[in-house]
PDB file of all heavy atoms in Angstrom:
ATOM      1  N   LEU Z   1     -39.472  -0.184-117.470  1.00 96.00           N
ATOM      2  CA  LEU Z   1     -39.702  -0.645-116.106  1.00 96.00           C
ATOM      3  C   LEU Z   1     -38.468  -0.500-115.225  1.00 96.00           C
ATOM      4  O   LEU Z   1     -38.595  -0.388-113.995  1.00 96.00           O
ATOM      5  CB  LEU Z   1     -40.176  -2.103-116.114  1.00 96.00           C
ATOM      6  CG  LEU Z   1     -41.634  -2.327-116.513  1.00 96.00           C
ATOM      7  CD1 LEU Z   1     -41.925  -3.822-116.631  1.00 96.00           C
ATOM      8  CD2 LEU Z   1     -42.598  -1.683-115.519  1.00 96.00           C
ATOM      9  N   VAL Z   2     -37.291  -0.491-115.825  1.00 94.00           N
ATOM     10  CA  VAL Z   2     -36.073  -0.419-115.016  1.00 94.00           C
ATOM     11  C   VAL Z   2     -35.342   0.907-115.166  1.00 94.00           C
ATOM     12  O   VAL Z   2     -34.281   1.094-114.580  1.00 94.00           O
ATOM     13  CB  VAL Z   2     -35.108  -1.577-115.353  1.00 94.00           C
ATOM     14  CG1 VAL Z   2     -35.765  -2.913-115.049  1.00 94.00           C
ATOM     15  CG2 VAL Z   2     -34.656  -1.523-116.803  1.00 94.00           C
ATOM     16  N   ASN Z   3     -35.908   1.847-115.928  1.00 90.00           N
ATOM     17  CA  ASN Z   3     -35.255   3.141-116.116  1.00 90.00           C
ATOM     18  C   ASN Z   3     -36.191   4.274-115.717  1.00 90.00           C
ATOM     19  O   ASN Z   3     -37.329   4.334-116.185  1.00 90.00           O
ATOM     20  CB  ASN Z   3     -34.844   3.318-117.584  1.00 90.00           C
ATOM     21  CG  ASN Z   3     -33.624   2.500-117.936  1.00 90.00           C
ATOM     22  OD1 ASN Z   3     -32.492   2.907-117.691  1.00 90.00           O
ATOM     23  ND2 ASN Z   3     -33.862   1.313-118.488  1.00 90.00           N
ATOM     24  N   PRO Z   4     -35.732   5.171-114.866  1.00 71.00           N
ATOM     25  CA  PRO Z   4     -36.574   6.308-114.481  1.00 71.00           C
ATOM     26  C   PRO Z   4     -36.782   7.245-115.657  1.00 71.00           C
ATOM     27  O   PRO Z   4     -36.000   7.284-116.602  1.00 71.00           O
ATOM     28  CB  PRO Z   4     -35.767   6.983-113.367  1.00 71.00           C
ATOM     29  CG  PRO Z   4     -34.356   6.606-113.677  1.00 71.00           C
ATOM     30  CD  PRO Z   4     -34.411   5.216-114.246  1.00 71.00           C
ATOM     31  N   SER Z   5     -37.864   7.991-115.594  1.00 63.00           N
ATOM     32  CA  SER Z   5     -38.197   8.956-116.646  1.00 63.00           C
ATOM     33  C   SER Z   5     -37.896  10.356-116.154  1.00 63.00           C
ATOM     34  O   SER Z   5     -37.902  10.633-114.955  1.00 63.00           O
ATOM     35  CB  SER Z   5     -39.679   8.845-117.001  1.00 63.00           C
ATOM     36  OG  SER Z   5     -40.122   9.969-117.709  1.00 63.00           O
ATOM     37  N   SER Z   6     -37.689  11.263-117.107  1.00 54.00           N
ATOM     38  CA  SER Z   6     -37.484  12.667-116.724  1.00 54.00           C
ATOM     39  C   SER Z   6     -38.682  13.202-115.961  1.00 54.00           C
ATOM     40  O   SER Z   6     -38.561  14.063-115.099  1.00 54.00           O
ATOM     41  CB  SER Z   6     -37.224  13.516-117.968  1.00 54.00           C
ATOM     42  OG  SER Z   6     -38.344  13.476-118.847  1.00 54.00           O
ATOM     43  N   SER Z   7     -39.867  12.683-116.260  1.00 53.00           N
ATOM     44  CA  SER Z   7     -41.059  13.176-115.561  1.00 53.00           C
ATOM     45  C   SER Z   7     -41.052  12.766-114.092  1.00 53.00           C
ATOM     46  O   SER Z   7     -41.758  13.352-113.282  1.00 53.00           O
ATOM     47  CB  SER Z   7     -42.323  12.648-116.241  1.00 53.00           C
ATOM     48  OG  SER Z   7     -42.400  11.239-116.154  1.00 53.00           O
ATOM     49  N   SER Z   8     -40.270  11.736-113.763  1.00 49.00           N
ATOM     50  CA  SER Z   8     -40.225  11.319-112.360  1.00 49.00           C
ATOM     51  C   SER Z   8     -39.681  12.419-111.459  1.00 49.00           C
ATOM     52  O   SER Z   8     -39.936  12.431-110.264  1.00 49.00           O
ATOM     53  CB  SER Z   8     -39.341  10.066-112.229  1.00 49.00           C
ATOM     54  OG  SER Z   8     -39.835   9.010-113.009  1.00 49.00           O
ATOM     55  N   ASN Z   9     -38.936  13.333-112.024  1.00 43.00           N
ATOM     56  CA  ASN Z   9     -38.372  14.416-111.231  1.00 43.00           C
ATOM     57  C   ASN Z   9     -39.371  15.533-110.975  1.00 43.00           C
ATOM     58  O   ASN Z   9     -39.124  16.405-110.158  1.00 43.00           O
ATOM     59  CB  ASN Z   9     -37.146  14.994-111.956  1.00 43.00           C
ATOM     60  CG  ASN Z   9     -36.058  13.956-112.147  1.00 43.00           C
ATOM     61  OD1 ASN Z   9     -35.839  13.135-111.279  1.00 43.00           O
ATOM     62  ND2 ASN Z   9     -35.389  13.998-113.290  1.00 43.00           N
ATOM     63  N   ARG Z  10     -40.509  15.489-111.689  1.00 40.00           N
ATOM     64  CA  ARG Z  10     -41.442  16.601-111.603  1.00 40.00           C
ATOM     65  C   ARG Z  10     -42.827  16.182-111.117  1.00 40.00           C
ATOM     66  O   ARG Z  10     -43.607  17.016-110.688  1.00 40.00           O
ATOM     67  CB  ARG Z  10     -41.599  17.260-112.981  1.00 40.00           C
ATOM     68  CG  ARG Z  10     -40.311  17.854-113.542  1.00 40.00           C
ATOM     69  CD  ARG Z  10     -40.544  18.437-114.913  1.00 40.00           C
ATOM     70  NE  ARG Z  10     -41.585  19.449-114.874  1.00 40.00           N
ATOM     71  CZ  ARG Z  10     -42.163  19.950-115.956  1.00 40.00           C
ATOM     72  NH1 ARG Z  10     -41.808  19.535-117.143  1.00 40.00           N
ATOM     73  NH2 ARG Z  10     -43.102  20.865-115.856  1.00 40.00           N
ATOM     74  N   TYR Z  11     -43.152  14.918-111.229  1.00 44.00           N
ATOM     75  CA  TYR Z  11     -44.499  14.472-110.917  1.00 44.00           C
ATOM     76  C   TYR Z  11     -44.438  13.230-110.040  1.00 44.00           C
ATOM     77  O   TYR Z  11     -43.516  12.444-110.123  1.00 44.00           O
ATOM     78  CB  TYR Z  11     -45.268  14.127-112.203  1.00 44.00           C
ATOM     79  CG  TYR Z  11     -45.464  15.301-113.122  1.00 44.00           C
ATOM     80  CD1 TYR Z  11     -44.523  15.599-114.108  1.00 44.00           C
ATOM     81  CD2 TYR Z  11     -46.579  16.120-113.007  1.00 44.00           C
ATOM     82  CE1 TYR Z  11     -44.686  16.683-114.950  1.00 44.00           C
ATOM     83  CE2 TYR Z  11     -46.746  17.209-113.840  1.00 44.00           C
ATOM     84  CZ  TYR Z  11     -45.805  17.481-114.808  1.00 44.00           C
ATOM     85  OH  TYR Z  11     -45.967  18.556-115.639  1.00 44.00           O
ATOM     86  N   THR Z  12     -45.449  13.050-109.231  1.00 52.00           N
ATOM     87  CA  THR Z  12     -45.556  11.804-108.502  1.00 52.00           C
ATOM     88  C   THR Z  12     -45.879  10.693-109.489  1.00 52.00           C
ATOM     89  O   THR Z  12     -46.469  10.922-110.536  1.00 52.00           O
ATOM     90  CB  THR Z  12     -46.680  11.900-107.453  1.00 52.00           C
ATOM     91  OG1 THR Z  12     -47.901  12.250-108.101  1.00 52.00           O
ATOM     92  CG2 THR Z  12     -46.340  12.926-106.394  1.00 52.00           C
ATOM     93  N   GLU Z  13     -45.513   9.477-109.119  1.00 50.00           N
ATOM     94  CA  GLU Z  13     -45.579   8.378-110.073  1.00 50.00           C
ATOM     95  C   GLU Z  13     -47.005   8.048-110.490  1.00 50.00           C
ATOM     96  O   GLU Z  13     -47.227   7.412-111.515  1.00 50.00           O
ATOM     97  CB  GLU Z  13     -44.904   7.139-109.482  1.00 50.00           C
ATOM     98  CG  GLU Z  13     -44.643   6.053-110.501  1.00 50.00           C
ATOM     99  CD  GLU Z  13     -43.975   4.847-109.889  1.00 50.00           C
ATOM    100  OE1 GLU Z  13     -43.662   4.881-108.688  1.00 50.00           O
ATOM    101  OE2 GLU Z  13     -43.779   3.878-110.615  1.00 50.00           O
ATOM    102  N   ASP Z  14     -47.991   8.447-109.709  1.00 49.00           N
ATOM    103  CA  ASP Z  14     -49.358   8.104-110.076  1.00 49.00           C
ATOM    104  C   ASP Z  14     -50.017   9.196-110.906  1.00 49.00           C
ATOM    105  O   ASP Z  14     -51.218   9.149-111.147  1.00 49.00           O
ATOM    106  CB  ASP Z  14     -50.201   7.823-108.829  1.00 49.00           C
ATOM    107  CG  ASP Z  14     -50.258   9.003-107.867  1.00 49.00           C
ATOM    108  OD1 ASP Z  14     -49.337   9.834-107.886  1.00 49.00           O
ATOM    109  OD2 ASP Z  14     -51.208   9.069-107.091  1.00 49.00           O
ATOM    110  N   CYS Z  15     -49.262  10.210-111.339  1.00 86.00           N
ATOM    111  CA  CYS Z  15     -49.857  11.270-112.136  1.00 86.00           C
ATOM    112  C   CYS Z  15     -49.924  10.846-113.595  1.00 86.00           C
ATOM    113  O   CYS Z  15     -49.562   9.743-113.973  1.00 86.00           O
ATOM    114  CB  CYS Z  15     -49.076  12.563-111.945  1.00 86.00           C
ATOM    115  SG  CYS Z  15     -50.035  14.040-112.352  1.00 86.00           S
ATOM    116  N   TRP Z  16     -50.354  11.764-114.457  1.00 93.00           N
ATOM    117  CA  TRP Z  16     -50.743  11.388-115.816  1.00 93.00           C
ATOM    118  C   TRP Z  16     -49.614  10.805-116.645  1.00 93.00           C
ATOM    119  O   TRP Z  16     -49.860   9.947-117.503  1.00 93.00           O
ATOM    120  CB  TRP Z  16     -51.343  12.594-116.529  1.00 93.00           C
ATOM    121  CG  TRP Z  16     -50.359  13.684-116.867  1.00 93.00           C
ATOM    122  CD1 TRP Z  16     -50.037  14.766-116.116  1.00 93.00           C
ATOM    123  CD2 TRP Z  16     -49.573  13.781-118.051  1.00 93.00           C
ATOM    124  NE1 TRP Z  16     -49.097  15.533-116.749  1.00 93.00           N
ATOM    125  CE2 TRP Z  16     -48.802  14.957-117.946  1.00 93.00           C
ATOM    126  CE3 TRP Z  16     -49.451  12.997-119.208  1.00 93.00           C
ATOM    127  CZ2 TRP Z  16     -47.919  15.364-118.943  1.00 93.00           C
ATOM    128  CZ3 TRP Z  16     -48.570  13.400-120.197  1.00 93.00           C
ATOM    129  CH2 TRP Z  16     -47.817  14.573-120.060  1.00 93.00           C
ATOM    130  N   THR Z  17     -48.373  11.243-116.427  1.00 93.00           N
ATOM    131  CA  THR Z  17     -47.283  10.729-117.258  1.00 93.00           C
ATOM    132  C   THR Z  17     -47.140   9.227-117.086  1.00 93.00           C
ATOM    133  O   THR Z  17     -47.068   8.475-118.063  1.00 93.00           O
ATOM    134  CB  THR Z  17     -45.961  11.427-116.897  1.00 93.00           C
ATOM    135  OG1 THR Z  17     -45.709  11.295-115.504  1.00 93.00           O
ATOM    136  CG2 THR Z  17     -46.004  12.898-117.266  1.00 93.00           C
ATOM    137  N   TRP Z  18     -47.119   8.795-115.829  1.00 94.00           N
ATOM    138  CA  TRP Z  18     -47.033   7.367-115.559  1.00 94.00           C
ATOM    139  C   TRP Z  18     -48.347   6.664-115.858  1.00 94.00           C
ATOM    140  O   TRP Z  18     -48.361   5.512-116.318  1.00 94.00           O
ATOM    141  CB  TRP Z  18     -46.610   7.134-114.111  1.00 94.00           C
ATOM    142  CG  TRP Z  18     -45.142   7.329-113.919  1.00 94.00           C
ATOM    143  CD1 TRP Z  18     -44.499   8.478-113.534  1.00 94.00           C
ATOM    144  CD2 TRP Z  18     -44.114   6.367-114.140  1.00 94.00           C
ATOM    145  NE1 TRP Z  18     -43.146   8.290-113.499  1.00 94.00           N
ATOM    146  CE2 TRP Z  18     -42.871   6.995-113.864  1.00 94.00           C
ATOM    147  CE3 TRP Z  18     -44.116   5.036-114.545  1.00 94.00           C
ATOM    148  CZ2 TRP Z  18     -41.658   6.337-113.971  1.00 94.00           C
ATOM    149  CZ3 TRP Z  18     -42.902   4.375-114.657  1.00 94.00           C
ATOM    150  CH2 TRP Z  18     -41.700   5.019-114.376  1.00 94.00           C
ATOM    151  N   ALA Z  19     -49.467   7.319-115.596  1.00 96.00           N
ATOM    152  CA  ALA Z  19     -50.762   6.692-115.852  1.00 96.00           C
ATOM    153  C   ALA Z  19     -50.934   6.356-117.326  1.00 96.00           C
ATOM    154  O   ALA Z  19     -51.513   5.322-117.676  1.00 96.00           O
ATOM    155  CB  ALA Z  19     -51.888   7.611-115.374  1.00 96.00           C
ATOM    156  N   ALA Z  20     -50.432   7.227-118.206  1.00 97.00           N
ATOM    157  CA  ALA Z  20     -50.492   6.924-119.637  1.00 97.00           C
ATOM    158  C   ALA Z  20     -49.627   5.712-119.966  1.00 97.00           C
ATOM    159  O   ALA Z  20     -49.995   4.887-120.820  1.00 97.00           O
ATOM    160  CB  ALA Z  20     -50.045   8.136-120.443  1.00 97.00           C
ATOM    161  N   PHE Z  21     -48.478   5.599-119.314  1.00 97.00           N
ATOM    162  CA  PHE Z  21     -47.648   4.406-119.493  1.00 97.00           C
ATOM    163  C   PHE Z  21     -48.391   3.159-119.049  1.00 97.00           C
ATOM    164  O   PHE Z  21     -48.348   2.116-119.712  1.00 97.00           O
ATOM    165  CB  PHE Z  21     -46.350   4.564-118.710  1.00 97.00           C
ATOM    166  CG  PHE Z  21     -45.549   3.300-118.571  1.00 97.00           C
ATOM    167  CD1 PHE Z  21     -45.033   2.661-119.688  1.00 97.00           C
ATOM    168  CD2 PHE Z  21     -45.312   2.741-117.320  1.00 97.00           C
ATOM    169  CE1 PHE Z  21     -44.290   1.487-119.565  1.00 97.00           C
ATOM    170  CE2 PHE Z  21     -44.569   1.583-117.185  1.00 97.00           C
ATOM    171  CZ  PHE Z  21     -44.062   0.950-118.310  1.00 97.00           C
ATOM    172  N   TYR Z  22     -49.094   3.247-117.916  1.00 97.00           N
ATOM    173  CA  TYR Z  22     -49.814   2.080-117.420  1.00 97.00           C
ATOM    174  C   TYR Z  22     -50.843   1.568-118.436  1.00 97.00           C
ATOM    175  O   TYR Z  22     -51.055   0.360-118.547  1.00 97.00           O
ATOM    176  CB  TYR Z  22     -50.528   2.401-116.110  1.00 97.00           C
ATOM    177  CG  TYR Z  22     -49.650   2.875-114.982  1.00 97.00           C
ATOM    178  CD1 TYR Z  22     -50.155   3.727-113.991  1.00 97.00           C
ATOM    179  CD2 TYR Z  22     -48.309   2.496-114.886  1.00 97.00           C
ATOM    180  CE1 TYR Z  22     -49.363   4.170-112.947  1.00 97.00           C
ATOM    181  CE2 TYR Z  22     -47.513   2.946-113.841  1.00 97.00           C
ATOM    182  CZ  TYR Z  22     -48.043   3.785-112.878  1.00 97.00           C
ATOM    183  OH  TYR Z  22     -47.263   4.233-111.849  1.00 97.00           O
ATOM    184  N   THR Z  23     -51.499   2.482-119.166  1.00 98.00           N
ATOM    185  CA  THR Z  23     -52.490   2.026-120.155  1.00 98.00           C
ATOM    186  C   THR Z  23     -51.814   1.154-121.211  1.00 98.00           C
ATOM    187  O   THR Z  23     -52.376   0.139-121.638  1.00 98.00           O
ATOM    188  CB  THR Z  23     -53.198   3.208-120.835  1.00 98.00           C
ATOM    189  OG1 THR Z  23     -52.276   3.952-121.638  1.00 98.00           O
ATOM    190  CG2 THR Z  23     -53.869   4.127-119.824  1.00 98.00           C
ATOM    191  N   GLY Z  24     -50.613   1.557-121.633  1.00 98.00           N
ATOM    192  CA  GLY Z  24     -49.897   0.758-122.618  1.00 98.00           C
ATOM    193  C   GLY Z  24     -49.366  -0.533-122.035  1.00 98.00           C
ATOM    194  O   GLY Z  24     -49.395  -1.589-122.693  1.00 98.00           O
TER     195      GLY Z  24
END
């Protein structure tokens, strides 16, 4: 929650990388 992900540089936050995190 307090650290950005490498995917943040390539995808908007509501795309699948973050969406999969939200499920967890």
Side-chain angles (χ1 to χ4, degrees):
L1 284 174
V2 299
N3 285 277
S5 163
S6 62
S7 64
S8 301
N9 299 322
R10 298 178 57 193
Y11 297 90
T12 56
E13 193 180 357
D14 59 335
C15 202
W16 70 268
T17 55
W18 281 93
F21 167 63
Y22 301 152
T23 66

